Each structure stands twice: as C-alpha cells, then as structure tokens.
Amino acid sequence: DKKVIVYQSLSGIEEKLPSKGFIRISRSLIIAVIHIQEFNMQHIKINDEWLKIGGNYKSEVIKFLQSFT
C-alpha cells in the first residue's frame, strides 16, 4: 500500500493515464481496472477494500464495468 503525493489536479493525471487501463470512480479516486475484484451498483472492490462509486461518475462507471460482463 503505497501513497503518492502529487501537486497536480486529478483531472490532469486522468488525462495522462491510458483510458483503457484506468477509470475515475469519484472526485478523489482513479483506479486501475486490472485490480477490480468485484463490483456492484454502488461499490468496487480492490485489494479486499470496497470503494464507493461517486454519484457524478456512477452511470459512466457502471456502463464501463458492464462491458466486461
């Protein structure tokens, strides 16, 4: 569990990441798709921890995740 401190907006970081490997799930979280263990309509499980999908991102995240099922 490594923490990284960055002096750049999350939107700026999001633009630099490959769109196929990462997805933004809330105002403060971008996740690597390969680490998703489970998901439902409200949460995504990564490293045995459930992360809440933010309301503003929910429809895009669910649509993205359903493309894998």
Side-chain angles (χ1 to χ4, degrees):
D1 295 345
K2 185 177 176 182
K3 291 188 179 189
V4 178
I5 298 174
V6 194
Y7 297 101
Q8 183 177 10
S9 70
L10 205 53
S11 295
I13 294 169
E14 184 179 21
E15 288 176 8
K16 294 178 183 178
L17 293 170
S19 61
K20 289 186 178 183
F22 297 87
I23 187 164
R24 190 164 183 175
I25 66 166
S26 71
R27 281 183 27 187
S28 59
L29 293 171
I30 298 174
I31 61 169
V33 174
I34 62 169
H35 294 292
I36 295 174
Q37 296 171 311
E38 294 179 52
F39 67 90
N40 58 40
M41 299 299 273
Q42 304 292 324
H43 297 88
I44 294 175
K45 187 177 183 182
I46 294 180
N47 295 329
D48 297 323
E49 183 178 345
W50 287 97
L51 305 172
K52 185 170 174 49
I53 301 170
N56 293 336
Y57 299 88
K58 189 170 291 191
S59 62
E60 182 180 338
V61 170
I62 298 302
K63 182 179 175 183
F64 176 83
L65 293 172
Q66 287 177 338
S67 71
F68 290 103
T69 59

